[in-house]
């Protein structure tokens, strides 16, 4: 149904009414901004869907996917909505990116007022926009940045005191106050790759192959799946290079039995303490994954919406990929928007098997 064919005005307006883009023009839907442009044949001008100009007659409207296409068809950009300029969303993304760089380069954590002043908007407004784009508050972002800096400094400086100053802390006490939360262990232990930390582990067999369960003193810190039990143990040692890996005792054998039981029949739930280590954002995503009911799936977009960060779909996918607690944090229940399986750290076939098993179990109960 080409726009160039000679058709009657009513046929042309019907074609416009049938086009889902027309509803976005009539409602000036901000979500449509940047998705397409509409041109008005009687004025020779093309606009963004959000343009404040009077809504044109449908029989005079043509839609174009890009600005170039509209210009090639002989239309000029509207002076009011300026289709050539970056959209508001794009301008905000540029702004927030520059604030992130500023936070990363600051010696001390910048205040919200400081950031707002740089952005030339109110602290409240800035806080909202920052969170919408990054998924976390400026404070959480700054904390994550410092955490990364501490990790780096600990691996590049000779003494912990040097590392503390290199990471931008000017008082030892405050560093030690925060380090346990930032690192999940004392700085000395982290620096030593978890030396003197003992991690209990055991490998068992389940319907999905080999399963390794490991626990720190805080709770289960890894559940991994694979074909080769030795490879699973090597991976664990790589993650905690200097921790002392100890075989599980009887109590631990019960834990692994519980995890295997949970993998076989997920609807029974897993009631064991988890030692969840991740950034503030990852933890929010993982919490949302645990809220997905057994036997159902959610898309990355839905999870991003549920944690109040609808634009952080890619970051959500990243957090799913970073999960090291297979099944307990059910990243296997997250699928593409079209229902496709996408990737799984422990193999897409295991993901498929888990989803099918859970769906069958809930259908039967
Ligand atoms: Zn316009």
């Amino acid at each position: 149904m080409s726009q160039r064919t000679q058709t009657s005005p009513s046929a042309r307006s019907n074609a416009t009414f049938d086009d889902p883009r027309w509803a976005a023009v009539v409602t000036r839907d901000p979500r449509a901004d940047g998705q397409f442009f509409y041109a008005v044949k009687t004025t020779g001008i093309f606009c963004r869907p959000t343009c404040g100009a009077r809504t044109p007659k449908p029989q005079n409207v043509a839609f174009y996917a890009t600005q170039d296409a509209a210009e090639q068809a002989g239309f000029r950009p509207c002076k009011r909505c300026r289709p050539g300029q970056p959209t508001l969303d794009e301008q905000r993304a540029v702004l927030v990116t520059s604030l992130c760089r500023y936070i990363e380069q600051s010696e001390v954590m910048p205040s919200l007022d400081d950031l707002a002043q740089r952005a030339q908007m109110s602290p409240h407004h800035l806080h909202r926009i920052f969170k919408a784009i990054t998924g976390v508050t400026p404070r959480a972002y700054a904390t994550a940045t410092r955490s990364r800096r501490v990790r780096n400094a600990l691996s590049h400086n000779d003494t912990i005191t040097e590392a503390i100053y290199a990471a931008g802390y000017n008082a030892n006490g405050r560093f030690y106050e925060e380090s346990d939360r930032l690192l999940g262990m004392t700085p000395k232990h982290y620096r030593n790759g978890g030396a003197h930390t003992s991690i209990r582990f055991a490998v068992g067999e389940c319907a999905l192959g080999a399963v390794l369960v490991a626990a720190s003193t805080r709770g289960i810190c890894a559940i991994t799946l694979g074909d080769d039990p030795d490879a699973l143990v090597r991976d664990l040692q790589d993650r905690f290079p200097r921790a002392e890996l100890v075989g599980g005792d009887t109590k631990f054998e019960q834990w692994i039995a519980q995890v295997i039981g949970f993998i076989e029949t997920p609807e029974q739930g897993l009631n064991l303490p988890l030692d969840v280590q991740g950034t503030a954002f990852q933890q929010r995503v993982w919490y949302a994954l645990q809220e997905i009911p057994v036997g159902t799936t959610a898309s990355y977009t839905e999870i991003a919406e549920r944690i109040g960060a609808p634009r952080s779909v890619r970051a959500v996918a990243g957090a799913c990929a970073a999960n090291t607690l297979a099944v307990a944090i059910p990243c296997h229940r997250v699928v593409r928007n079209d229902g496709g399986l996408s990737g799984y750290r422990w193999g897409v076939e295991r993901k498929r098997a888990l989803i099918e098993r859970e769906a069958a179990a809930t259908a039967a109960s």
Side-chain angles (χ1 to χ4, degrees), residues 38 45-48 50-53 77-83:
Y38 71 90
I45 285 185
F46 72 99
C47 285
R48 300 170 181 280
T50 49
C51 184
C78 168
K79 288 209 168 68
R80 183 161 173 178
C81 62
R82 302 208 274 172

Side-chain angles (χ1 to χ4, degrees), residues 82-315:
R82 302 208 274 172
Q85 301 296 311
T87 65
L88 191 57
D89 278 357
E90 287 162 353
Q91 292 170 31
R92 285 174 174 175
V94 168
L95 172 74
V96 168
T97 305
S98 80
L99 291 178
C100 288
R101 295 297 93 79
Y102 175 65
I103 291 171
E104 287 155 16
Q105 283 153 21
S106 298
E107 284 291 306
V108 294
M109 194 180 293
S111 69
L112 185 59
D113 285 342
D114 177 11
L115 295 173
Q117 212 159 38
R118 294 182 78 86
Q120 297 182 311
M121 55 178 75
S122 78
H124 175 76
H125 194 209
L126 170 70
H127 192 265
R128 210 170 52 81
I129 288 171
F130 193 97
K131 196 172 166 198
I133 290 175
T134 65
V136 295
T137 64
R139 170 167 284 276
Y141 187 84
T143 305
T145 302
R146 282 153 82 88
S147 153
R148 229 183 5 255
R149 230 188 268 167
V150 169
R151 284 165 204 265
N152 263 333
L154 283 170
S155 44
H156 292 112
N157 287 277
D158 286 337
T159 70
I160 290 173
T161 309
E162 277 171 21
I164 291 169
Y165 286 103
Y169 286 83
N170 41 28
N172 274 351
R174 197 164 145 63
F175 172 81
Y176 281 104
E177 231 167 70
E178 289 192 12
S179 65
D180 195 41
R181 188 165 53 83
L182 295 179
L183 301 170
M185 53 182 92
T186 70
K188 201 163 182 173
H189 281 175
Y190 184 83
R191 183 189 177 73
N192 294 336
H196 311 302
T197 308
S198 70
I199 291 179
R200 290 173 298 158
F201 77 99
V203 182
E205 276 294 320
C206 66
L208 298 171
V211 51
L212 175 143
V213 180
S216 68
T217 51
R218 294 158 173 240
I220 294 182
C221 59
I223 300 176
T224 57
L225 303 166
D227 296 319
D228 176 6
D230 292 338
L232 293 180
V233 177
R234 280 198 301 275
D235 286 348
L236 179 68
Q237 189 76 76
D238 286 347
R239 250 185 89 209
F240 301 98
R242 296 185 60 192
E244 191 193 350
L245 300 188
V246 284
D249 50 16
T250 321
K251 185 183 164 217
F252 198 73
E253 296 295 330
Q254 285 166 5
W255 278 22
I256 195 161
Q258 221 174 314
V259 171
I260 291 172
F262 170 67
I263 293 172
E264 308 285 344
T265 48
E267 64 277 14
Q268 73 181 31
L270 181 66
N271 197 15
L272 288 174
L274 299 178
D275 177 4
V276 179
Q277 292 180 28
T279 64
F281 181 79
Q282 286 172 336
Q283 298 210 13
R284 278 171 56 208
V285 172
W286 295 340
Y287 182 75
L289 300 186
Q290 291 178 285
E291 301 283 291
I292 305 173
V294 177
T296 65
T297 57
S299 69
Y300 295 103
T301 305
E302 283 165 343
I303 295 297
E305 280 164 7
R306 284 177 204 174
I307 64 168
R311 287 170 214 199
S312 305
V313 177
R314 288 184 63 177

